[in-house]
Amino acid sequence: DKLRTLELGHNKLTGTIPSTLFTSGTLRHLLLNDNFLTGELPKELFETLSLQQLHLGDNDFGGEISSSFEKLRGLRALFLPNIGFTGSLPGSLFMLSKLEYLSIEGNKVEGTIPTELFDGASKESLIYLNLGFNELAGGMSSRFAELTRLQFLGLNDNYFTGTIPSSLGEISSLTKVFLQNNAFFGNANFMCANDISEQLGALEMDCKEEVTCSCCTFCN
């Protein structure tokens, strides 16, 4: 039988990811999260076009996020939290037309959100986007409304500024929104319309002083 799923998360694995993991060319699900892995990601990983789910979070890889993830056209879920990544967020990630889940929280990624998020193929597929606990900055684009399938949005604990665009309230699929611990200001009560607020299980903002939000589930 050919290897399709490999789950080795939550162990005490050390060293680098061996390139031999990818020799079968049939691997669909690879979970190596919560270990002590280090070093560069092997180039063979980015040649494994069968991959649909990749979870490398909570390891010690460091470096920048490779633009080679764009090669993994079949990816539906990419989890890269708490790895120590630095540098900017590559726009090529959002060229993946099947990508539904993207998690990059807890790194040191800086700069602005690339426009490819709104122009790339993944805007039609993204359900879960977590960029929290990084060093991202700039304003929040009104084009988030174009992510019509989005259910989870995490932009918390960054350096975003400006007002929260009212177009965010047009995403009827949203169930959880985390925007706290930024420098947003202004009125966000557009999120409190009945048809939106009733389905929001979590809505968190800096609404003690900076942001007005009468329906937030948590005010920082």
Side-chain angles (χ1 to χ4, degrees):
D1 291 338
K2 294 182 178 180
L3 182 64
R4 299 186 185 279
T5 300
L6 182 61
E7 296 188 31
L8 295 174
H10 300 278
N11 282 291
K12 297 181 180 180
L13 299 175
T14 60
T16 59
I17 299 177
S19 59
T20 50
L21 281 182
F22 309 101
T23 54
S24 71
T26 58
L27 196 60
R28 294 180 181 175
H29 308 278
L30 177 61
L31 291 83
L32 298 176
N33 52 295
D34 294 271
N35 282 290
F36 299 98
L37 298 170
T38 57
E40 293 185 6
L41 302 180
K43 63 180 180 61
E44 289 83 2
L45 184 156
F46 302 108
E47 296 168 358
T48 307
L49 304 185
S50 56
L51 273 175
Q52 297 178 11
Q53 179 185 15
L54 180 61
H55 196 336
L56 301 177
D58 295 279
N59 281 289
D60 299 308
F61 297 115
E64 297 190 1
I65 301 174
S66 175
S67 60
S68 295
F69 281 109
E70 181 187 6
K71 298 178 182 179
L72 303 176
R73 297 291 185 179
L75 266 187
R76 296 184 181 275
L78 178 59
F79 295 98
L80 304 173
N82 305 310
I83 289 178
F85 278 140
T86 58
S88 60
L89 185 61
S92 56
L93 286 177
F94 303 108
M95 308 308 284
L96 298 169
S97 62
K98 296 181 180 180
L99 190 64
E100 297 180 335
Y101 299 88
L102 177 61
S103 171
I104 305 183
E105 81 269 24
N107 287 287
K108 295 180 179 179
V109 177
E110 58 187 9
T112 58
I113 293 177
T115 57
E116 286 87 347
L117 172 60
F118 313 110
D119 296 324
S122 68
K123 82 172 186 177
E124 305 291 342
S125 57
L126 270 177
I127 293 173
Y128 180 103
L129 178 63
N130 195 343
L131 304 177
F133 294 98
N134 277 288
E135 298 177 5
L136 295 166
M140 186 175 178
S141 174
S142 61
R143 296 188 65 189
F144 268 96
E146 297 177 24
L147 307 180
T148 55
R149 295 191 66 205
L150 199 63
Q151 297 177 15
F152 182 107
L153 176 61
L155 300 180
N156 55 290
D157 295 88
N158 280 285
Y159 299 106
F160 293 115
T161 58
T163 58
I164 298 167
S166 59
S167 58
L168 188 65
E170 298 173 10
I171 308 177
S172 59
S173 54
L174 278 176
T175 59
K176 294 185 178 180
V177 180
F178 300 94
L179 303 178
Q180 72 275 21
N181 294 320
N182 282 289
F184 291 126
F185 59 86
N187 194 321
N189 275 333
F190 53 83
M191 297 297 293
C192 302
N194 288 339
D195 55 339
I196 301 171
S197 61
E198 288 177 359
Q199 69 187 30
L200 283 172
L203 178 60
E204 302 189 5
M205 300 185 189
D206 297 321
C207 46
K208 284 187 176 178
E209 295 182 4
E210 293 86 355
V211 178
T212 302
C213 178
S214 61
C215 61
C216 278
T217 57
F218 176 81
C219 284
N220 189 50

